[in-house]
Amino acid sequence: AQSVTQLDSQVPVFEEAPVELRCNYSSSVSVYLFWYVQYPNQGLQLLLKYLSGSTLVKGINGFEAEFNKSQTSFHLRKPSVHISDTAEYFCAVMYSSASKIIFGSGTRLSIRP
Amino acid sequence: EPEVTQTPSHQVTQMGQEVILRCVPISNHLYFYWYRQILGQKVEFLVSFYNNEISEKSEIFDDQFSVERPDGSNFTLKIRSTKLEDSAMYFCASSPSGTSYEQYFGPGTRLTVT
């Protein structure tokens, strides 16, 4: 079945510390991967996407993610977080163009000063 | 920068009433979607729409739901007889073409059924 798993429902981290949010997806011949961010009481904003090519993708706000086909993972990283990064982060997958996006359950990132 | 807009931002309705949620997709986009997010849960796909037809729908999208593109700009989601469990944030999204992998999301409509 097509699915996305985010193992951590909450990740607390100190300001300026590095963070990694984990994501695994169910394998398929073709897969397109995304990370979305949802700030409190707001909609979904695309952070970054992997469609093809380089397995390391860079997004907005200093985030990056690495596509690992053998481990079916697409973990999100940031070397130094800021208070303003406090939000819910959703990993998502699409298995073909113009099809539905399947979202993970989300990881709440909380930043401590 | 063009964006997807949704109205209203918050709607409160009584159980059993009909509601219509409205979306204005980005103007040259051809594919349209509705998703919902029950409070504290993940975002779930409801339906996709292309060329005035439903192209895919989820198990959630039962007979009480319908979608329509009544004119060249609006895309609506109708819930015929609302239930308490329909309370959620509803997101509209649009995509420019069949070869696009990016969907642009609106800010959402929070539906509260009492």
Side-chain angles (χ1 to χ4, degrees), chain B residues 52-68:
Chain B
N52 284 320
E53 288 185 346
I54 290 175
S55 45
E56 188 177 1
K57 60 183 181 179
S58 72
E59 294 175 350
I60 304 166
F61 195 87
D62 60 21
D63 291 344
Q64 69 162 337
F65 291 94
S66 62
V67 289
E68 194 178 29

PDB file of all heavy atoms in Angstrom, chain B residues 52-68:
ATOM      1  N   ASN B  52     -13.514  18.975 -16.004  1.00  0.00           N
ATOM      2  CA  ASN B  52     -14.907  18.906 -15.539  1.00  0.00           C
ATOM      3  C   ASN B  52     -15.349  17.516 -15.091  1.00  0.00           C
ATOM      4  O   ASN B  52     -16.558  17.218 -15.080  1.00  0.00           O
ATOM      5  CB  ASN B  52     -15.868  19.426 -16.607  1.00  0.00           C
ATOM      6  CG  ASN B  52     -15.834  20.935 -16.687  1.00  0.00           C
ATOM      7  OD1 ASN B  52     -15.755  21.609 -15.663  1.00  0.00           O
ATOM      8  ND2 ASN B  52     -15.857  21.463 -17.887  1.00  0.00           N
ATOM      9  N   GLU B  53     -14.389  16.706 -14.712  1.00  0.00           N
ATOM     10  CA  GLU B  53     -14.737  15.376 -14.208  1.00  0.00           C
ATOM     11  C   GLU B  53     -13.869  15.043 -13.001  1.00  0.00           C
ATOM     12  O   GLU B  53     -12.735  15.512 -12.903  1.00  0.00           O
ATOM     13  CB  GLU B  53     -14.450  14.308 -15.276  1.00  0.00           C
ATOM     14  CG  GLU B  53     -15.385  14.305 -16.443  1.00  0.00           C
ATOM     15  CD  GLU B  53     -15.095  13.150 -17.387  1.00  0.00           C
ATOM     16  OE1 GLU B  53     -14.017  12.529 -17.257  1.00  0.00           O
ATOM     17  OE2 GLU B  53     -15.938  12.882 -18.247  1.00  0.00           O
ATOM     18  N   ILE B  54     -14.409  14.207 -12.123  1.00  0.00           N
ATOM     19  CA  ILE B  54     -13.605  13.665 -11.044  1.00  0.00           C
ATOM     20  C   ILE B  54     -12.630  12.665 -11.644  1.00  0.00           C
ATOM     21  O   ILE B  54     -13.037  11.748 -12.369  1.00  0.00           O
ATOM     22  CB  ILE B  54     -14.488  12.995  -9.984  1.00  0.00           C
ATOM     23  CG1 ILE B  54     -15.293  14.048  -9.230  1.00  0.00           C
ATOM     24  CG2 ILE B  54     -13.649  12.162  -9.030  1.00  0.00           C
ATOM     25  CD1 ILE B  54     -16.294  13.485  -8.244  1.00  0.00           C
ATOM     26  N   SER B  55     -11.344  12.833 -11.379  1.00  0.00           N
ATOM     27  CA  SER B  55     -10.351  11.892 -11.902  1.00  0.00           C
ATOM     28  C   SER B  55      -9.970  10.842 -10.864  1.00  0.00           C
ATOM     29  O   SER B  55      -9.598   9.729 -11.210  1.00  0.00           O
ATOM     30  CB  SER B  55      -9.114  12.624 -12.405  1.00  0.00           C
ATOM     31  OG  SER B  55      -8.694  13.614 -11.507  1.00  0.00           O
ATOM     32  N   GLU B  56     -10.077  11.190  -9.590  1.00  0.00           N
ATOM     33  CA  GLU B  56      -9.815  10.222  -8.540  1.00  0.00           C
ATOM     34  C   GLU B  56     -10.511  10.682  -7.264  1.00  0.00           C
ATOM     35  O   GLU B  56     -10.630  11.883  -7.020  1.00  0.00           O
ATOM     36  CB  GLU B  56      -8.304  10.102  -8.289  1.00  0.00           C
ATOM     37  CG  GLU B  56      -7.915   8.998  -7.345  1.00  0.00           C
ATOM     38  CD  GLU B  56      -6.406   8.857  -7.165  1.00  0.00           C
ATOM     39  OE1 GLU B  56      -5.645   9.648  -7.772  1.00  0.00           O
ATOM     40  OE2 GLU B  56      -5.990   7.956  -6.425  1.00  0.00           O
ATOM     41  N   LYS B  57     -10.980   9.738  -6.470  1.00  0.00           N
ATOM     42  CA  LYS B  57     -11.565  10.101  -5.186  1.00  0.00           C
ATOM     43  C   LYS B  57     -11.191   9.056  -4.144  1.00  0.00           C
ATOM     44  O   LYS B  57     -10.937   7.898  -4.467  1.00  0.00           O
ATOM     45  CB  LYS B  57     -13.082  10.254  -5.275  1.00  0.00           C
ATOM     46  CG  LYS B  57     -13.816   9.009  -5.703  1.00  0.00           C
ATOM     47  CD  LYS B  57     -15.309   9.297  -5.820  1.00  0.00           C
ATOM     48  CE  LYS B  57     -16.070   8.043  -6.235  1.00  0.00           C
ATOM     49  NZ  LYS B  57     -17.528   8.287  -6.338  1.00  0.00           N
ATOM     50  N   SER B  58     -11.176   9.480  -2.894  1.00  0.00           N
ATOM     51  CA  SER B  58     -10.824   8.569  -1.816  1.00  0.00           C
ATOM     52  C   SER B  58     -12.087   7.949  -1.228  1.00  0.00           C
ATOM     53  O   SER B  58     -13.214   8.328  -1.572  1.00  0.00           O
ATOM     54  CB  SER B  58     -10.064   9.322  -0.726  1.00  0.00           C
ATOM     55  OG  SER B  58     -10.943  10.185  -0.019  1.00  0.00           O
ATOM     56  N   GLU B  59     -11.859   7.018  -0.317  1.00  0.00           N
ATOM     57  CA  GLU B  59     -12.996   6.367   0.369  1.00  0.00           C
ATOM     58  C   GLU B  59     -13.802   7.370   1.185  1.00  0.00           C
ATOM     59  O   GLU B  59     -14.985   7.176   1.420  1.00  0.00           O
ATOM     60  CB  GLU B  59     -12.465   5.280   1.303  1.00  0.00           C
ATOM     61  CG  GLU B  59     -11.809   4.118   0.585  1.00  0.00           C
ATOM     62  CD  GLU B  59     -11.184   3.137   1.564  1.00  0.00           C
ATOM     63  OE1 GLU B  59     -11.096   3.449   2.776  1.00  0.00           O
ATOM     64  OE2 GLU B  59     -10.776   2.057   1.120  1.00  0.00           O
ATOM     65  N   ILE B  60     -13.146   8.431   1.620  1.00  0.00           N
ATOM     66  CA  ILE B  60     -13.827   9.444   2.423  1.00  0.00           C
ATOM     67  C   ILE B  60     -14.888  10.158   1.584  1.00  0.00           C
ATOM     68  O   ILE B  60     -15.940  10.564   2.073  1.00  0.00           O
ATOM     69  CB  ILE B  60     -12.823  10.497   2.936  1.00  0.00           C
ATOM     70  CG1 ILE B  60     -11.704   9.840   3.725  1.00  0.00           C
ATOM     71  CG2 ILE B  60     -13.521  11.553   3.767  1.00  0.00           C
ATOM     72  CD1 ILE B  60     -10.531  10.766   3.971  1.00  0.00           C
ATOM     73  N   PHE B  61     -14.612  10.328   0.321  1.00  0.00           N
ATOM     74  CA  PHE B  61     -15.464  11.106  -0.590  1.00  0.00           C
ATOM     75  C   PHE B  61     -16.674  10.271  -0.980  1.00  0.00           C
ATOM     76  O   PHE B  61     -16.722   9.678  -2.066  1.00  0.00           O
ATOM     77  CB  PHE B  61     -14.648  11.519  -1.816  1.00  0.00           C
ATOM     78  CG  PHE B  61     -15.297  12.603  -2.639  1.00  0.00           C
ATOM     79  CD1 PHE B  61     -15.086  13.928  -2.339  1.00  0.00           C
ATOM     80  CD2 PHE B  61     -16.115  12.296  -3.722  1.00  0.00           C
ATOM     81  CE1 PHE B  61     -15.671  14.939  -3.090  1.00  0.00           C
ATOM     82  CE2 PHE B  61     -16.709  13.285  -4.475  1.00  0.00           C
ATOM     83  CZ  PHE B  61     -16.487  14.610  -4.170  1.00  0.00           C
ATOM     84  N   ASP B  62     -17.653  10.220  -0.066  1.00  0.00           N
ATOM     85  CA  ASP B  62     -18.839   9.401  -0.349  1.00  0.00           C
ATOM     86  C   ASP B  62     -19.945  10.266  -0.961  1.00  0.00           C
ATOM     87  O   ASP B  62     -19.694  11.403  -1.368  1.00  0.00           O
ATOM     88  CB  ASP B  62     -19.297   8.705   0.939  1.00  0.00           C
ATOM     89  CG  ASP B  62     -19.672   9.690   2.043  1.00  0.00           C
ATOM     90  OD1 ASP B  62     -19.972  10.857   1.729  1.00  0.00           O
ATOM     91  OD2 ASP B  62     -19.651   9.290   3.220  1.00  0.00           O
ATOM     92  N   ASP B  63     -21.146   9.753  -0.987  1.00  0.00           N
ATOM     93  CA  ASP B  63     -22.243  10.407  -1.708  1.00  0.00           C
ATOM     94  C   ASP B  63     -22.649  11.754  -1.114  1.00  0.00           C
ATOM     95  O   ASP B  63     -23.364  12.521  -1.757  1.00  0.00           O
ATOM     96  CB  ASP B  63     -23.468   9.493  -1.735  1.00  0.00           C
ATOM     97  CG  ASP B  63     -23.230   8.292  -2.617  1.00  0.00           C
ATOM     98  OD1 ASP B  63     -22.259   8.335  -3.414  1.00  0.00           O
ATOM     99  OD2 ASP B  63     -23.996   7.317  -2.517  1.00  0.00           O
ATOM    100  N   GLN B  64     -22.231  12.045   0.087  1.00  0.00           N
ATOM    101  CA  GLN B  64     -22.602  13.324   0.668  1.00  0.00           C
ATOM    102  C   GLN B  64     -21.710  14.467   0.151  1.00  0.00           C
ATOM    103  O   GLN B  64     -21.993  15.638   0.356  1.00  0.00           O
ATOM    104  CB  GLN B  64     -22.537  13.284   2.188  1.00  0.00           C
ATOM    105  CG  GLN B  64     -21.145  13.177   2.760  1.00  0.00           C
ATOM    106  CD  GLN B  64     -21.078  13.580   4.229  1.00  0.00           C
ATOM    107  OE1 GLN B  64     -21.905  14.315   4.727  1.00  0.00           O
ATOM    108  NE2 GLN B  64     -20.063  13.094   4.936  1.00  0.00           N
ATOM    109  N   PHE B  65     -20.618  14.103  -0.506  1.00  0.00           N
ATOM    110  CA  PHE B  65     -19.701  15.104  -1.044  1.00  0.00           C
ATOM    111  C   PHE B  65     -19.917  15.250  -2.550  1.00  0.00           C
ATOM    112  O   PHE B  65     -20.223  14.286  -3.257  1.00  0.00           O
ATOM    113  CB  PHE B  65     -18.247  14.682  -0.829  1.00  0.00           C
ATOM    114  CG  PHE B  65     -17.789  14.703   0.611  1.00  0.00           C
ATOM    115  CD1 PHE B  65     -17.841  13.556   1.379  1.00  0.00           C
ATOM    116  CD2 PHE B  65     -17.292  15.864   1.177  1.00  0.00           C
ATOM    117  CE1 PHE B  65     -17.409  13.576   2.702  1.00  0.00           C
ATOM    118  CE2 PHE B  65     -16.855  15.890   2.497  1.00  0.00           C
ATOM    119  CZ  PHE B  65     -16.923  14.727   3.260  1.00  0.00           C
ATOM    120  N   SER B  66     -19.718  16.470  -3.038  1.00  0.00           N
ATOM    121  CA  SER B  66     -19.688  16.676  -4.484  1.00  0.00           C
ATOM    122  C   SER B  66     -18.774  17.875  -4.777  1.00  0.00           C
ATOM    123  O   SER B  66     -18.554  18.726  -3.912  1.00  0.00           O
ATOM    124  CB  SER B  66     -21.080  16.915  -5.054  1.00  0.00           C
ATOM    125  OG  SER B  66     -21.645  18.086  -4.499  1.00  0.00           O
ATOM    126  N   VAL B  67     -18.238  17.902  -5.996  1.00  0.00           N
ATOM    127  CA  VAL B  67     -17.394  19.003  -6.416  1.00  0.00           C
ATOM    128  C   VAL B  67     -17.917  19.542  -7.734  1.00  0.00           C
ATOM    129  O   VAL B  67     -18.556  18.835  -8.519  1.00  0.00           O
ATOM    130  CB  VAL B  67     -15.909  18.602  -6.566  1.00  0.00           C
ATOM    131  CG1 VAL B  67     -15.280  18.352  -5.210  1.00  0.00           C
ATOM    132  CG2 VAL B  67     -15.754  17.393  -7.474  1.00  0.00           C
ATOM    133  N   GLU B  68     -17.608  20.812  -7.961  1.00  0.00           N
ATOM    134  CA  GLU B  68     -18.111  21.457  -9.145  1.00  0.00           C
ATOM    135  C   GLU B  68     -17.190  22.614  -9.505  1.00  0.00           C
ATOM    136  O   GLU B  68     -16.584  23.234  -8.633  1.00  0.00           O
ATOM    137  CB  GLU B  68     -19.531  22.002  -8.864  1.00  0.00           C
ATOM    138  CG  GLU B  68     -20.301  22.403 -10.074  1.00  0.00           C
ATOM    139  CD  GLU B  68     -21.706  22.871  -9.721  1.00  0.00           C
ATOM    140  OE1 GLU B  68     -21.908  23.393  -8.610  1.00  0.00           O
ATOM    141  OE2 GLU B  68     -22.599  22.736 -10.572  1.00  0.00           O
TER     142      GLU B  68
END
